[in-house]
Amino acid sequence: MLVGRVGLALILLWDSAPVRRQPWARLVLGALMAVLAAVGINQLLLAVAPALAVRPEHLVTLPVISSLGQLAGAMTFPDFGALRNPATYGVAFTIAIVASLKTLLSVEAVDNLDPQKRHTPTNRKLLAQGAGNVVSGLLGGLPLTAVIVRSSANIAAGEQTKRSAFIHGILLMVSLLLLGTVLHLIPLSALAAVLLVVGFKLTKPALYRQQWRLGWAGRSSGRSSSPSWRCCSPICLRA
């Protein structure tokens, strides 16, 4: 609770107007500062009062990979014998529908958060997700889907191109391969504080008040002004 509250307070302080006006505050995100502070507090508690430190089960747990052999051993390849089980196709269809709906909802939220008010080609997005899920499944990975937390983090960092998502993935892979022991020092409560702030920003009360003032007619007219809202054919999609 101590670590989580300190992290939450630090993020809110970092997002305050007086701090945002400082040039040095733009170089590092408040979420990163919260995670670093959480690690520092926990290490201090381990040295001074171990009984008050965060227990290992409440820290980030990832496989430590130091060689290609360990990487191959950590991967679980698919069992193609499951293709003979009819229940496999029902589960696959359910995952495909849920992942597609989640991606479309995330795309709509990201388009609203985008300062440039661009519109994501939904057909292209779903095709890319389907191709990625095929490759991920063949490598024993979990299904892929758009996540609003990562997208909003890219927007908050000032990113404006598709390269941000690709670089994000590369950094995650490098962190897993090279920084496993460092990641194990991060308390889960610090990550919870980050998610709390991100979730509040996505559904803050001011947004509900604005939608209430617009009314049904205002929301409908706002949607109809965007060609990509209703038209998802390749002919109508805008880059």
Side-chain angles (χ1 to χ4, degrees):
M1 290 180 62
L2 172 64
V3 170
R5 289 180 176 180
V6 170
L8 186 61
L10 188 57
I11 296 175
L12 296 178
L13 176 64
W14 213 264
D15 288 342
S16 63
V19 176
R20 283 205 310 265
R21 286 195 292 265
Q22 306 300 322
W24 50 265
R26 303 172 187 173
L27 300 177
V28 182
L29 292 178
L32 178 58
M33 293 302 301
V35 171
L36 294 177
V39 173
I41 292 174
N42 191 46
Q43 293 303 305
L44 179 62
L45 290 175
L46 284 173
V48 177
L52 299 178
V54 179
R55 292 194 295 270
E57 60 266 27
H58 299 307
L59 299 175
V60 171
T61 303
L62 293 171
V64 178
I65 299 174
S66 57
S67 65
L68 293 178
Q70 290 182 346
L71 176 61
M75 299 177 65
T76 303
F77 292 95
D79 178 14
F80 291 100
L83 295 176
R84 296 190 294 269
N85 185 356
T88 300
Y89 300 95
V91 173
F93 180 77
T94 302
I95 293 176
I97 293 296
V98 173
S100 299
L101 291 175
K102 184 177 184 299
T103 293
L104 292 176
L105 290 173
S106 298
V107 163
E108 176 63 18
V110 172
D111 286 350
N112 290 331
L113 292 174
D114 183 14
Q116 301 183 28
K117 300 303 179 185
R118 292 167 294 182
H119 299 282
T120 302
T122 50
N123 280 358
R124 189 185 308 171
K125 181 70 175 178
L126 292 179
L127 283 173
Q129 178 172 299
N133 278 335
V134 170
V135 176
S136 177
L138 291 176
L139 296 177
L142 294 174
L144 307 172
T145 181
V147 179
I148 187 61
V149 175
R150 291 199 301 265
S151 302
S152 60
N154 277 336
I155 293 175
E159 299 296 337
Q160 300 180 4
T161 67
K162 294 180 289 186
R163 288 179 297 181
S164 61
F166 181 78
I167 294 174
H168 192 171
I170 295 296
L171 291 177
L172 287 175
M173 183 178 66
V174 171
S175 299
L176 177 63
L177 294 177
L178 303 179
L179 301 176
T181 55
V182 177
L183 297 178
H184 288 175
L185 302 177
I186 301 176
L188 294 177
S189 55
L191 302 182
V194 175
L195 293 178
L196 281 173
V197 174
V198 172
F200 178 79
K201 287 182 178 179
L202 293 176
T203 180
K204 52 188 176 183
L207 178 62
Y208 289 97
R209 291 195 296 267
Q210 178 186 2
Q211 294 297 312
W212 180 264
R213 286 195 299 266
L214 286 174
W216 287 108
R219 287 192 289 273
S220 299
S221 62
R223 290 181 177 181
S224 61
S225 63
S226 171
S228 64
W229 176 266
R230 298 183 183 279
C231 182
C232 294
S233 68
I235 299 176
C236 299
L237 288 177
R238 297 190 304 175

